[in-house]
Amino acid sequence: MTAAPAPDPDPDGLLAEQLLRLTRRVYRIQKRHLERRELGITPAQSRLLRTLAHYSSPPRMADLAERLEVVPRAVTTLVDGLEAHGKVRRVPDPANRRVIRIELTDEGRETLRELRTARRAAAAEILAPLGEREREQLGELLNTLVDGPSGPPCEERAAGRPGGVGG
């Protein structure tokens, strides 16, 4: 009896697994750098602070939830923790006092400066094995993945490729 041939490797599946492993590694390294600075915040809270910094005026919780792509309850929990540590505060909307907005405090802005330093240190650690040209290539590839393709939708590209949908 002849052994069945080994299944074809799944290159997209392997890439997906590598991306997930890299994401977990980035998370762990960033968390370690945050803990070293004793900022008393989680990576999720740091993401909320960074997001807040991009608004020209204090956003509503719903705005933050949409931007962070999480449920509003998750934002409430993050804001509660940050508010307890003096990093953010809830303020009434001047036009509609029933609406609550979230703004950075001075301590929150200082924490953001520390976060940037921690993120740069984590990035330097992760990217250390790469040369300048490799970093440029990685940046280009990541931009493509983050921004999505500029051509036709995936189904149309796959249809025109041998072995793709309809091909």
Side-chain angles (χ1 to χ4, degrees), residues 49-65:
L49 285 177
R50 290 190 319 273
T51 301
L52 263 175
H54 290 287
Y55 283 93
S56 57
S57 62
R60 299 173 306 137
M61 293 250 217
D63 299 328
L64 288 169

Side-chain angles (χ1 to χ4, degrees), residues 22-37:
L22 178 60
T23 300
R24 288 190 293 265
R25 182 168 183 246
V26 168
Y27 179 87
R28 282 191 315 274
I29 290 171
Q30 182 180 344
K31 185 176 180 184
R32 187 178 35 151
H33 283 273
L34 288 174
E35 288 169 352
R36 281 184 192 160
R37 285 179 166 65

Side-chain angles (χ1 to χ4, degrees), residues 20-157:
L20 289 172
R21 288 176 48 215
L22 178 60
T23 300
R24 288 190 293 265
R25 182 168 183 246
V26 168
Y27 179 87
R28 282 191 315 274
I29 290 171
Q30 182 180 344
K31 185 176 180 184
R32 187 178 35 151
H33 283 273
L34 288 174
E35 288 169 352
R36 281 184 192 160
R37 285 179 166 65
E38 298 180 4
L39 298 174
I41 62 171
T42 67
Q45 289 172 328
S46 73
R47 185 171 172 234
L48 187 137
L49 285 177
R50 290 190 319 273
T51 301
L52 263 175
H54 290 287
Y55 283 93
S56 57
S57 62
R60 299 173 306 137
M61 293 250 217
D63 299 328
L64 288 169
E66 184 178 327
R67 189 112 178 238
L68 293 168
E69 298 178 345
V70 299
V71 296
R73 178 69 189 121
V75 171
T76 300
T77 301
L78 293 172
V79 168
D80 287 347
L82 289 168
E83 189 174 41
H85 287 95
K87 314 285 187 203
V88 301
R89 68 177 148 253
R90 290 173 166 92
V91 295
D93 184 302
N96 181 350
R97 296 191 59 81
R98 292 175 294 168
V99 173
I100 300 296
R101 296 192 174 267
I102 309 303
E103 71 178 9
L104 284 169
T105 62
D106 289 341
E107 188 173 338
R109 281 186 271 288
E110 178 56 35
T111 299
L112 266 174
R113 284 189 281 280
E114 288 286 327
L115 285 171
R116 287 184 187 109
T117 301
R119 286 172 55 93
R120 280 193 295 276
E125 182 177 334
I126 290 164
L127 297 172
L130 302 180
E132 185 178 335
R133 180 64 193 136
E134 292 167 316
R135 289 176 188 215
E136 288 173 15
Q137 289 173 324
L138 177 61
E140 292 167 9
L141 293 169
L142 290 173
N143 282 337
T144 300
L145 294 175
V146 169
D147 298 336
S150 57
C154 293
E155 296 81 22
E156 291 176 31
R157 283 195 318 278

